[in-house]
Amino acid sequence: MFIKVALLLVFFAVTIFVGFYFRNRASDVSGFVLAGRSLGPWLTAFAYGTTYFSAVVFVGYAGQFGWRFGTAAVWIGLGNAFIGSLLAWVILGRRTRIMTHHLDSATMPEFFGSRFDSRAIKIAASIIIFIFLIPYTASLYNGLSRLFAMAYGVDFSICIVAMAVLTGIYVVAGGYFATAVNDFIQGIIMLIGIVAVIAVILSDNGGFMASMNALAHVQDATVSSTPGIFTSFFGPDPLSLLGVVILTSLGTWGLPQMVQKFYAIQSEKVIFKGTVISTVFATIIAGGCYFIGSFGRLYSEMIERGADGRVSYDSIVPTILSTFPPLLIGMVIILVLAASVSTLSALVMTSASTFTLDFLKGNIFKNMNGRMQLLSIRLLIVVFIFISSVIAIVQYKGGIGFIAQLMGISWGALAGSFLAPFLYGLYWKRVSTASVWCCFIFSTSFMILNIFFRDAFPAPLQSPINAGAFAMVAGLVIVPVVSLLTKAPLKTTVESCFSCYEETIRVKVSEDLGDDEDTAQ
C-alpha cells in the first residue's frame, strides 16, 4: 500500500507543479485555450493521443470487446491507430489549422458559425457539446473508480473528488499549454505501463503461444460453437466488430475535443512528425488495451457477475490486474489515472471555452472583453467538473449503463452531428446551412430516441455503439444530399473562407524542388 500511495502522490505533485509552472502562458484567451497556436509535434501528438484514450478504453472497451470478440478486438485498436489517428491527421490536420487560423476560430462552434455564416448554428453546436460531453465525462470517473476500489479499497466518491480536484487545479492554473505538457508526461507513463501489463499477462499464462492456445480452447455456446472462435481473424461477430471500429475510429474526426488539437499546431513541419508520433502512440496504446482485454476469458472464474449470471464487463480488466504484484498495480493505476485525467482536462476545457466563446459572448453578454472571457472559462471549468462529478456519482449508485454504452451515446451524438459538416466544410464549397441543421437534428434526435425507446429500434441498432456508428455514417450521406437539394451558400462567404488555401508562400528548395524547367534554368 505504501508503494501504491507513494506513486500516486508523486503523480499528483508533478501534475500540479506543471499547471502552476506554465500559468504565465495562460494570461489571455488565445494562450489559455490554444497555447497561442504554438505547439510542436510531440506535444500536439501526445495531446491528441492521451485525449483519445482514457479509462473508458482501458477498462470499459477493452474488457467488454475483448470478452465479446477475443483477439479480433485488436482490430479496434488498429482502426483507432490508422483511421482515428493517421487518416485524421492526414485529411484534417493541415486544412483545419489553415482555415481555423484564417477564420480566427478557437472552437468548433465558432468555426461552424464563420464557415456557414450562421450565428444560430454556432449556438446550437455549443449547446450540443455542453450536453453530450457530460455522459462521456461520467464514464471516465466510472472506469477509474473500479481500479481505485481494487487497489486502495476506497469509496467511489473519494476517487471522483480526487480526480476532479487534480484536474481542476492544473487546468485552471495553466490552461492548454500546461495540459499539453502534462499530456506528454502522462503519455510516457501510458506507454511504459501498457507494455509492462502485456508482458505480465503473457508471462502469467505461460507466454504468448501458451496464452493463445488456452484462449483457443475456451468455449461459449451462447456466443458460437466454432472451435477457437476467440482467436479467429474476425471473431464471433464481425458486423458488431465493424460498428465498434467505425464509432471509435471515425468518430474522432467529429469530436470537438479531438479536432481542436489541430487548431494549436505551430507549423507545417509539425504535421508530418505529429502524424507519425500519433499513429505509433495509438497503435501501442489502443492495440495493447484490446489485446489485454482479449485474455479476460482466461480469468473467467474470478470475474464479477450479476444476479442473472451475466459478466460485469467493467470488472474484467480490474480483475485481471488484481493478480499483479503491488508495484505493478500502482503503475497501472497511474497509467489509467494519467489517461483519464488527460481526457477529462480536454473535455472540460472544450466545454468551458465553447460555452463562453460561442454562447455567452455576444449573446448573454454583449460586451465581453478578454479578461471576462478568461474568467468565465476558468469558472465554467470548475462548474463543469462539479456537474459531471455529481452525475458520475448518481450514475454509479444507480447502476445506470456500462461504460461503453455511455461513451457510445456521447460519441454518437457529437460525432454524428459534427463529423460530416466539419469534413465537408473543409473541402467542399457547396455545403449548405440547411444540410448542417439536418445533420445536427438527425444525430441528436436519433441518439436521444435510442436512449428512451431502444427496444423499438431494429436489433442491430439497439446497441448505443452501433447506433452511434450509424449516426456518423448517415451524416456523411445527409450533408451532400441535402446540400444539393437546397439553396447554395453565398458565393462571397464561401470564397472568403476558402481563400486561405489559395495563398502563395515561399519555401526553401530543401522542402520543395519546384518545377523541373525552372530548376534547370
Side-chain angles (χ1 to χ4, degrees):
M1 183 59 70
F2 174 78
I3 294 173
K4 290 184 284 190
V5 171
L7 288 172
L8 198 62
L9 292 176
V10 170
F11 175 79
F12 274 43
V14 171
T15 302
I16 292 174
F17 171 78
V18 169
F20 282 99
Y21 184 81
F22 290 106
R23 66 186 183 276
N24 62 318
R25 290 177 176 261
S27 57
D28 56 33
V29 174
S30 176
F32 190 88
V33 177
L34 296 177
R37 300 183 191 266
S38 62
L39 294 188
W42 287 92
L43 291 183
T44 303
F46 271 69
Y48 186 91
T50 54
T51 299
Y52 198 163
F53 308 112
S54 64
V56 175
V57 174
F58 192 84
V59 178
Y61 272 31
Q64 176 170 343
F65 300 124
W67 183 274
R68 287 176 54 189
F69 305 128
T71 54
V74 175
W75 281 111
I76 306 172
L78 295 178
N80 295 170
F82 294 101
I83 299 175
S85 295
L86 176 64
L87 287 182
W89 275 78
V90 171
I91 295 175
L92 300 179
R94 178 181 289 102
R95 281 187 169 255
T96 298
R97 171 61 172 81
I98 294 172
M99 188 175 282
T100 56
H101 182 69
H102 174 68
L103 298 177
D104 195 24
S105 302
T107 65
M108 183 176 275
E110 199 169 16
F111 168 81
F112 284 140
S114 300
R115 170 63 181 84
F116 302 111
D117 194 24
S118 173
R119 182 179 175 185
I121 283 181
K122 181 173 79 168
I123 295 173
S126 67
I127 294 173
I128 292 172
I129 289 172
F130 194 80
I131 292 174
F132 285 99
L133 280 183
I134 290 177
Y136 185 17
T137 308
S139 67
L140 293 178
Y141 291 117
N142 192 338
L144 193 61
S145 69
R146 290 184 174 271
L147 289 179
F148 263 78
M150 176 270 293
Y152 299 97
V154 297
D155 182 73
F156 175 63
S157 302
I158 296 176
C159 169
I160 285 184
V161 171
M163 182 174 169
V165 170
L166 173 65
T167 306
I169 290 175
Y170 87 80
V171 175
V172 169
Y176 184 55
F177 196 91
T179 300
V181 173
N182 269 324
D183 286 348
F184 180 76
I185 296 172
Q186 291 156 6
I188 297 296
I189 295 172
M190 290 167 66
L191 289 171
I192 296 172
I194 205 75
V195 172
V197 171
I198 292 173
V200 172
I201 289 177
L202 293 179
S203 176
D204 284 349
N205 290 282
F208 176 75
M209 294 306 298
S211 300
M212 293 293 287
N213 183 58
L215 188 60
H217 283 83
V218 172
Q219 295 289 325
D220 188 343
T222 62
V223 177
S224 175
S225 59
T226 305
I229 192 66
F230 295 111
T231 54
S232 62
F233 200 67
F234 289 122
D237 191 357
L239 187 60
S240 294
L241 177 63
L242 178 62
V244 179
V245 172
I246 292 173
L247 176 77
T248 62
S249 302
L250 193 60
T252 60
W253 296 26
L255 294 177
Q257 72 270 22
M258 300 298 297
V259 173
Q260 200 162 318
K261 305 303 180 187
F262 298 134
Y263 290 28
I265 290 174
Q266 182 182 41
S267 65
E268 173 67 24
K269 292 181 180 179
V270 173
I271 299 290
F272 176 75
K273 292 180 181 178
T275 302
V276 174
I277 297 167
S278 180
T279 304
V280 172
F281 182 89
T283 302
I284 296 172
I285 298 298
C289 283
Y290 290 108
F291 185 70
I292 291 168
S294 68
F295 293 102
R297 287 181 178 271
L298 299 183
Y299 301 81
S300 179
E301 295 181 358
M302 302 169 56
I303 293 172
E304 175 186 329
R305 297 175 186 269
D308 58 358
R310 293 185 178 182
V311 170
S312 172
Y313 293 131
D314 299 343
S315 70
I316 294 174
V317 171
T319 298
I320 296 174
L321 299 177
S322 67
T323 64
F324 286 14
L327 178 60
L328 191 55
I329 290 178
M331 287 180 59
V332 172
I333 293 298
I334 300 302
L335 180 164
V336 182
L337 179 62
S340 298
V341 167
S342 61
T343 303
L344 179 60
S345 65
L347 296 179
V348 297
M349 176 75 78
T350 299
S351 295
S353 60
T354 294
F355 202 72
T356 296
L357 301 178
D358 304 318
F359 185 77
L360 298 180
K361 179 185 174 183
N363 297 304
I364 306 302
F365 300 101
K366 299 298 181 182
N367 298 311
M368 197 175 191
N369 59 33
R371 186 175 179 180
M372 287 181 62
Q373 293 172 36
L374 192 58
L375 178 61
S376 173
I377 292 172
R378 284 186 158 125
L379 289 175
L380 282 172
I381 286 173
V382 176
V383 170
F384 187 79
I385 289 176
F386 175 77
I387 294 173
S388 61
S389 301
V390 171
I391 291 175
I393 294 175
V394 172
Q395 180 271 331
Y396 181 80
K397 300 295 184 183
I400 305 171
F402 288 121
I403 296 175
Q405 276 63 41
L406 286 173
M407 184 174 170
I409 293 167
S410 175
W411 279 43
L414 289 166
S417 298
F418 301 147
L419 190 157
F422 188 79
L423 176 62
Y424 287 120
L426 290 175
Y427 281 89
W428 192 31
K429 297 180 180 181
R430 185 62 177 77
V431 181
S432 68
T433 302
S435 72
V436 178
W437 278 114
C438 286
C439 201
F440 283 11
I441 294 170
F442 171 80
S443 296
T444 52
S445 301
F446 186 79
M447 294 309 298
I448 291 172
L449 290 173
N450 185 265
I451 296 171
F452 296 104
F453 304 101
R454 187 163 299 158
D455 294 338
F457 279 64
L461 296 180
Q462 289 182 6
S463 163
I465 296 167
N466 290 344
F470 176 81
M472 294 177 202
V473 175
L476 293 173
V477 177
I478 290 172
V479 170
V481 170
V482 175
S483 293
L484 293 174
L485 296 176
T486 55
K487 182 180 178 182
L490 290 175
K491 186 175 181 180
T492 53
T493 301
V494 174
E495 293 301 330
S496 174
C497 292
F498 278 78
S499 64
C500 59
Y501 298 140
E502 306 301 325
E503 295 178 6
T504 301
I505 60 173
R506 301 178 68 179
V507 299
K508 297 178 180 178
V509 175
S510 60
E511 298 175 9
D512 189 339
L513 292 176
D515 184 82
D516 291 340
E517 293 183 2
D518 292 340
T519 304
Q521 292 176 359

